[in-house]
C-alpha cells in the first residue's frame, strides 16, 4: 500500500491510496486510517480482486451471511467511509460491486478482499468528526449524528 | 433523517446525511434539498433497503418501466445529483445498485426506496448552479449546461 | 459534450461534464482531459448507454476479454480516474456498472460506450499529479505513487 496527499483545502484532505497484489483491503484501509488518524472519511475505488468475501446482513440472526467470490473479478465500485465508535476506535464500512468474466455484477458488504493487480482509492478526510453508536436492535454500530463530536 | 455539515470550502459545502429505518429515500433527499436550498449537488451513498422500486427508461413509451425489489437488499452504490429545472424546482436524479442475499447485483433509476437500517449519504453542494431543461424528444428533463445559470 | 467548472478551491477544480446522445465516452473524456490538461482526476457518473463494450482482464493472455452489451442500459455507476503515463500522455481508467431492462446489473472495465440520452459526470482535478508506470508482468500501466511527480 502506498498513499499520496493529492489535495488539501483547509482541514479537508484528499489522498490517493494504491493497493498492490496480495494486499487485503480491510486491513490496508484500517492501517491507513490509524496511520493518518482518520475520524471522518469517505472514499470510492476501482481495481481488481483475486478473491473476496462479501456479506449480506441477516436481520433475524443479526449477522452477515457470507457470500464467497473465489475468482478473479473486476472491482466496478467500492464505496465506503470511516467513523469513530463509542470507544474512539475507527470503524470501516464499505460496500462493493464486482464484475465476473461473464460480465455479471455481484457484491455486498465488504468482509475481506485480496487485490490483484491494483486497487485505486480516492479518499477524503473531513474536518468534522463522525461518530458511530452501537444499536442493540441490529447488533451493529451505525453512524449517529447526534453523538457528541 | 439527520444531517451534518462536515466540510466547507468557500461556497462548496459537504454534508453527511443519515437516513433511518422507514425513511423513503427520494422524499428524504428532496426534503433535504429544500431545507438547504440546494441547486447543484452530487452525492454517493451506501446502506441497506427493506424494499425498492427502480426504473428502466423505455424510449418508445417515454416512461420508466418498473423494476420492483421486494426484499431486504444491501445498497452497494447510490449515485446522484440535484439540479434546478426551468421553473426553479430542484430535481433529483439517482441511480442505484443493490445486492441480494445470493450476492447478485441489480439496479436502475431510483423511483422509491425504503431504508433499513441505515443509508449513509455524502453530498457536496457546488457554488455554480446546474440547470435542467425539458427535452420533448425523451419526455424528461436533462442537465443543460447552456441554460442561463 | 459540454462542461462547466462548478467549484474551485485553490488548485482543485471540479467540473460537471454532460455527454449527449451518440457521444462515445472514452473519446469524450480523453478530449476533455486534453483540453483541460488534466493530470490527476477522479470522477463518478450516471446516465444511460445505447450500447457498450466492457472488458475483463485475463491474466494469462495479458489482455481484456470483451463483454459486449448490445442494448440500451441504465448507467448505474461509472467510476474512474486520469493519470499520466511515463511518456506524459494522459491515461483513462474507468469501471462501469449498468442495469438492463430486467434490473440485472452487469459491467466491467470501460472499453467503449455510446451515450443515450445523457451521461452526467462530476470530475475533480487535484493539484498533485498522478503517474502511471508500465508493469510488464501484467502488460498494462498502473498508478505508481513512487514515480517522480
Amino acid at each position: 500500500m502506498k498513499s499520496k496527499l493529492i489535495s488539501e483545502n483547509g482541514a479537508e484532505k484528499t489522498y490517493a491510496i494504491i493497493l498492490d497484489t496480495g494486499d487485503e483491503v480491510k486491513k490496508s484501509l484500517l492501517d491507513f486510517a490509524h496511520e493518518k488518524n482518520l475520524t471522518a472519511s469517505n472514499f470510492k475505488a476501482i481495481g481488481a480482486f483475486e478473491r473476496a468475501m462479501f456479506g449480506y446482513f441477516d436481520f433475524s440472526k443479526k449477522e452477515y451471511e457470507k457470500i464467497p467470490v473465489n475468482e478473479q473479478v473486476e472491482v466496478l465500485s467500492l464505496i465506503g467511509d470511516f467513523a469513530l465508535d463509542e470507544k474512539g476506535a475507527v470503524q470501516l464500512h464499505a460496500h462493493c460491486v464486482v464484475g465476473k468474466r461473464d460480465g455479471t455484477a455481484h457484491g455486498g458488504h465488504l468482509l475481506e478482499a485480496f487485490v490483484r493487480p491494483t486497487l485505486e482509492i480516492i479518499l477524503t478526510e473531513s474536518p468534522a468528526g463522525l461518530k458511530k453508536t452501537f444499536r442493540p436492535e441490529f447488533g451493529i454500530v451505525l453512524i449517529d449524528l447526534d453523538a457528541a463530536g
Side-chain angles (χ1 to χ4, degrees), chain A:
Chain A
M1 178 181 64
K2 287 168 185 164
S3 66
K4 182 176 181 176
L5 180 65
I6 58 169
S7 184
E8 192 166 6
N9 293 306
E12 184 185 271
K13 294 179 181 180
T14 299
Y15 298 91
I17 307 164
I18 307 297
L19 304 193
D20 297 307
T21 299
D23 285 346
E24 198 284 308
V25 178
K26 276 190 79 168
K27 183 187 179 308
S28 299
L29 280 169
L30 284 167
D31 283 352
F32 182 79
H34 290 133
E35 182 190 322
K36 303 293 183 187
N37 288 311
L38 301 184
T39 63
S41 292
N42 68 87
F43 59 84
K44 64 181 189 295
I46 59 170
F49 292 153
E50 190 179 353
R51 60 188 169 90
M53 182 67 78
F54 298 131
Y56 169 90
F57 193 73
D58 184 312
F59 276 84
S60 56
K61 297 179 185 167
K62 294 188 185 181
E63 64 183 31
Y64 286 99
E65 198 165 300
K66 289 185 176 177
I67 300 165
V69 176
N70 291 316
E71 60 193 274
Q72 175 77 27
V73 286
E74 302 284 333
V75 177
L76 305 183
S77 161
L78 175 68
I79 297 178
D81 52 62
F82 284 112
L84 298 184
D85 69 14
E86 291 151 299
K87 295 169 186 165
V90 72
Q91 293 283 339
L92 169 65
H93 188 203
H95 284 189
C96 189
V97 183
V98 297
K100 294 188 177 180
R101 185 183 286 268
D102 66 359
T104 57
H106 303 257
H109 176 97
L110 179 71
L111 292 174
E112 187 182 59
F114 293 90
V115 172
R116 184 171 75 158
T118 194
L119 187 71
E120 304 169 347
I121 304 154
I122 304 294
L123 177 146
T124 297
E125 166 76 354
S126 300
L130 289 176
K131 295 294 177 70
K132 291 202 169 191
T133 299
F134 182 73
R135 296 277 290 268
E137 70 272 39
F138 305 124
I140 50 176
V141 289
L142 297 181
I143 290 180
D144 176 4
L145 296 179
D146 288 334

